Each structure stands twice: as structure tokens, then as C-alpha cells.
Amino acid sequence: MAYKVHFKNILFILLGSAILSFGLVYFNMENNLADGGFTGITLILFFMFSINPAISNLVLNIPLFFIGWKILGKVTFIYTIIGTVGVSVFLEIFQRFPIFSIPLHDDMTLAALFAGVFIGVGLGIVFKYGGTTGGVDIIAKLGFKYLGWSMGKTMFMFDALVIATSLIYLNYREAMYTLLAVFVAAKVIDFIQQGAYSAKASHIISDKVPEIADAIMKEMDRGATILKGKGSFTGSDKEILYCVVGRNELIRLKTLVERIDPHAFVTVNDVQDVIGEGFTLDENKKPLHM
């Protein structure tokens, strides 16, 4: 299967790089906050030696490009170069042509929150469209291939080491706000990658599965899938209905099931992202325009 570079992905990777760079310049650098990963190293070099992060970001990543290009794959490698160069370009732009300055030294909670949100949104968009910003992402993949370490473990260890090193120029108050910013960024990245739409998935075990499925389709205009199962206690065959609905439809689903079979066994789980008919596609399998 041939994988192609998409212009849309490039645009969004550049957008994510711009948002990330904006957060670094206007909230991290303005308020003496550190960060994890390679951006954290560029901030250490900036605060201790006044080295421009736009330059250090490229200098640090170029050797990794030569090491990791085979591991990343052709498309991801191209997207990674675009993301990394994009971050450096936008870092330079925002430093040379400042848009505004918000003094938040007296409210470091706001500074940390905004730093985390902008970095999280920026990285989340870059990751969502198949890119990376280089650095620790490449190191994590190398660690997984040659040492068998999980990528999450490698990234956590690297981030922890960088933030610990940042204590050279951070006081303990700034270090604690940095941890807050990193935590917020991680949550925002997860939110963007998993999808803003949160649906509910339900498994329904009943002796009246066909009737419930028919009612769901007619009354709620939702599809459902009938699965085969077997009761562990009775050993009898069972039908299990699997259905995904929007959060605002859950009460209707419960009411419908209870009306048809008050003795039905129902479980409900969170679904972070939904792709397909009724959610991202219409009945003709065409994309819905939200």
C-alpha cells in the first residue's frame, strides 16, 4: 500500500507548529517556565546561555533526522521535518515580531495553564495529522526498537530528566508551575487525539434483543450489532446487542430497553471518538459537514 503526503496534513502540522511556538514564546519564555522534551532543552539553553530556541531546536534535531529516518518511515519523516522546521520558523517569527505582551508574573497559575493549553493544542494537532516535532519522539522509537523500552516510558524518563535539569535556573515555585503546564499539555494532547466528541457504547444482554434492536433503529435512527455469546452460569446461548449513541441519547436508550425488557442486563462505556455512519458519515456513506 502506497502512502502519500497530503497537503491538508502539511497545513495542519504547520498550524500546530505555530500554536506550539506561540505558547513557548509568550508563556514559557515570558514567565520563566520550563518544558519537557527537546523544547525543554532549548529553553534551558535560552535561559542559561541566551541561545535562540529557533536555532537550537534545529541544531538538536538534525542529527536525529539522520539516525531516525528509517524508523519513522517516508511519510512520517517528511511530516517530522516539516513540523520541526515549522517550530523553528515560528519561534523566530514570534520573537522578532512580537504581537503583544501579557505580564503574568503575578499570576503564574494563568501562565502555566495557558502554556499547557497552547503547547498541548499545538502538539495535539501535529500528532493528529501524522507529524512529530522530532526530538524525544525519535529517541523513544529508537529506545523501543533497540532496547525494548516502551515509548511512554522513554518519553517520561527523558521529560523528567529535562525538567530536573531545568532546576538549575528555576526556583521551586517556577518548577511546580512547570509541572502544572506539562500536566495540562498532556491532557490537552490526549483530548485532541482521542476526539472532542464523547459518545456512549452499550452492551445489552436480553431475551428480546431483536425487538430492542428494531426499536433502536425505528425510534432513535441508530444502528446496532447483534453478537453471539454464552452464559457462563447456565451455559445457554445468548444474544448481545452492541450500540453506540451520543451522550444526549443515553437516557432514551435506557428508557427504551427498560420498556421492552425490564430484566435486561445493560452496561455503558465511554467512547472517546466515533467514525462511521451516524457520526461522521451520513446514510449514503458521505462525510457529514458539522
Side-chain angles (χ1 to χ4, degrees):
M1 181 178 180
Y3 293 95
K4 296 181 179 179
V5 173
H6 295 284
F7 183 67
K8 174 185 174 183
N9 291 41
I10 293 174
L11 286 179
F12 275 100
I13 289 171
L14 289 174
L15 173 63
S17 300
I19 294 172
L20 165 64
S21 302
F22 183 92
L24 285 171
V25 172
Y26 287 102
F27 297 104
N28 291 74
M29 292 169 64
E30 284 281 335
N31 297 282
N32 211 47
L33 293 175
D35 193 26
F38 268 41
T39 53
I41 296 177
T42 63
L43 291 176
I44 292 173
L45 296 174
F46 170 75
F47 285 118
M48 294 191 65
F49 306 106
S50 299
I51 298 175
N52 188 343
I55 296 174
S56 60
N57 181 61
L58 281 179
V59 171
L60 289 169
N61 276 291
I62 286 174
L64 287 176
F65 290 155
F66 291 101
I67 296 172
W69 71 274
K70 288 185 178 180
I71 296 174
L72 292 173
K74 180 181 177 181
V75 174
T76 304
F77 178 67
I78 293 172
Y79 287 158
T80 295
I81 291 178
I82 293 170
T84 304
V85 173
V87 168
S88 285
V89 170
F90 286 115
L91 281 171
E92 184 67 22
I93 290 173
F94 290 132
Q95 289 180 92
R96 281 181 176 270
F97 309 102
I99 301 173
F100 59 81
S101 178
I102 304 176
L104 292 175
H105 296 286
D106 294 330
D107 196 343
M108 289 295 288
T109 301
L110 268 182
L113 289 175
F114 274 98
V117 167
F118 274 90
I119 290 174
V121 169
L123 283 175
I125 293 174
V126 171
F127 294 159
K128 189 176 180 69
Y129 287 90
T132 75
T133 55
V136 70
D137 305 309
I138 298 175
I139 291 176
K141 290 185 178 182
L142 288 170
F144 175 75
K145 181 175 182 179
Y146 294 109
L147 300 175
W149 295 354
S150 71
M151 290 185 63
K153 176 183 177 181
T154 304
M155 294 176 77
F156 174 79
M157 290 172 59
F158 194 91
D159 286 349
L161 179 62
V162 172
I163 293 174
T165 305
S166 301
L167 290 173
I168 296 173
Y169 70 89
L170 294 178
N171 58 43
Y172 288 107
R173 181 171 177 267
E174 291 166 341
M176 288 188 289
Y177 282 118
T178 292
L179 292 176
L180 174 60
V182 170
F183 175 80
V184 171
K187 292 297 180 182
V188 173
I189 290 171
D190 288 342
F191 178 77
I192 291 176
Q193 285 197 286
Q194 293 172 355
Y197 185 89
S198 181
K200 297 289 183 179
S202 179
H203 288 85
I204 303 165
I205 303 174
S206 169
D207 294 327
K208 299 181 180 180
V209 162
E211 294 93 324
I212 295 173
D214 186 61
I216 290 173
M217 185 172 61
K218 291 180 178 178
E219 298 179 28
M220 300 182 63
D221 195 27
R222 288 291 184 195
T225 301
I226 298 177
L227 308 173
K228 298 297 182 181
K230 178 176 286 188
S232 61
F233 181 72
T234 62
S236 59
D237 292 334
K238 292 283 186 180
E239 288 186 326
I240 304 167
L241 192 65
Y242 178 75
C243 181
V244 177
V245 298
R247 286 180 299 179
N248 60 329
E249 298 174 306
L250 183 60
I251 299 299
R252 286 181 62 195
L253 177 65
K254 288 182 178 179
T255 303
L256 181 152
V257 173
E258 187 175 4
R259 186 187 76 219
I260 297 174
D261 183 5
H263 303 291
F265 184 82
V266 182
T267 63
V268 178
N269 305 100
D270 288 324
V271 177
Q272 295 298 329
D273 203 0
V274 187
I275 300 172
E277 187 174 338
F279 293 92
T280 59
L281 303 175
D282 62 18
E283 64 275 10
N284 298 315
K285 306 298 183 182
K286 294 183 178 180
L288 290 170
H289 298 286
M290 303 299 290

